[in-house]
Amino acid sequence: MSVQDAPLARPAPPARSGAATALGWILTIGLNVVAPIITYNTLVDDHGWSEFSALLLSSAWPVLDSAVSVAWRRKLDEFAIVTLVFLVITAVVSLVGAHSARALLIKDSGVTGLFGLLCLATLLAPRPLMFYFGRKFATDGTARSTAWWNGLWQYEGFRTTLTRMTLVWGVAYVTEALVRIALAYTLNTKTMVTLSPIMIYGVLGALGLWTALYGRRSQAEGERRAAQAGSEAAAATAAA
């Protein structure tokens, strides 16, 4: 993820370890995405478990990921923690019960809406949610790479960029959830069954594209300001 730095250029990232990056992503995807989905589907479809019970048991995988991270890197994996929170939110929402197709659609909107509220809530925390997401994607998880990312927080442009990204993601998902709930009461169920996943993945894709473009623009602006500051400093030195 790229960020804006001014007036001084931020330090370049350290060389990334290919092996550490690959192993980290295998563990992350396996324990936070693949394993929970397989566990949930197996328990619900093959063993008749309730959605709530299956989701709670599925949340054991992100807990395991956090334990592995603590043992391996001596720190918690915030990405796994967010995944765990998301699963718990989904489990809590499932308690409402889906007595109709419309209720099920509203429950799905509740999950994405609560995720949006989680993003907004972290704006009140010392560091916003996108700081941790960015660290997961921009580093290989090694101590040197993590320290580099953490050190960028001293730059105002870096803080502004990640705070703004978190705000946009939060507002977008809260808005998406409210719109889908309104449409669930306006459109017929057949139309919403088709439209709902399109909205979910459409918003996700749009946010991902915006994040990449905004990050690159912020980096370019930061580099421009750093170059300008360097030129002005050189001119002042020459004049003196």
Side-chain angles (χ1 to χ4, degrees):
M1 184 182 298
S2 302
V3 292
Q4 176 183 356
D5 310 300
L8 301 178
R10 64 183 173 93
R16 300 179 66 172
S17 168
T21 300
L23 181 57
W25 276 111
I26 289 173
L27 286 174
T28 295
I29 295 174
L31 295 178
N32 290 281
V33 180
V34 178
I37 291 175
I38 292 176
T39 300
Y40 173 82
N41 289 332
T42 299
L43 292 176
V44 172
D45 297 337
D46 299 339
H47 299 284
W49 284 42
S50 68
E51 289 183 352
F52 179 76
S53 300
L55 283 166
L56 284 185
L57 188 60
S58 298
S59 66
W61 293 109
V63 173
L64 177 60
D65 188 23
S66 295
V68 170
S69 180
V70 170
W72 181 19
R73 297 169 179 164
R74 299 295 188 268
K75 71 178 185 68
L76 283 174
D77 187 334
E78 292 85 359
F79 188 86
I81 294 175
V82 171
T83 302
L84 176 61
V85 170
F86 188 78
L87 287 171
V88 171
I89 288 174
T90 306
V92 171
V93 172
S94 72
L95 283 176
V96 176
H99 304 295
S100 66
R102 175 175 287 127
L104 182 59
L105 291 169
I106 293 174
K107 282 172 55 179
D108 291 341
S109 302
V111 173
T112 56
L114 287 173
F115 176 74
L117 290 176
L118 174 64
C119 289
L120 297 177
T122 63
L123 294 175
L124 302 177
R127 298 181 183 183
L129 186 61
M130 287 302 154
F131 172 85
Y132 302 105
F133 274 27
R135 187 168 68 187
K136 187 67 178 180
F137 286 96
T139 73
D140 59 9
T142 58
R144 185 182 179 189
S145 183
T146 300
W148 162 76
W149 181 262
N150 292 342
L152 297 179
W153 189 250
Q154 66 182 297
Y155 298 99
E156 181 181 358
F158 181 85
R159 298 193 300 271
T160 299
T161 297
L162 293 182
T163 298
R164 190 167 295 163
M165 285 180 176
T166 304
L167 175 63
V168 170
W169 276 69
V171 171
Y173 268 113
V174 169
T175 302
E176 181 265 354
L178 293 175
V179 170
R180 275 204 294 145
I181 290 174
L183 290 177
Y185 282 102
T186 304
L187 303 177
N188 61 62
T189 301
K190 182 178 180 180
T191 301
M192 276 306 299
V193 168
T194 302
L195 182 60
S196 185
I198 293 176
M199 291 182 63
I200 293 174
Y201 293 109
V203 169
L204 178 60
L207 284 172
L209 178 61
W210 173 83
T211 299
L213 294 176
Y214 176 66
R216 290 174 184 172
R217 187 183 69 180
S218 297
Q219 181 184 33
E221 176 63 17
E223 291 173 350
R224 185 193 65 78
R225 294 176 64 185
Q228 181 180 359
S231 298
E232 292 175 352
T237 300

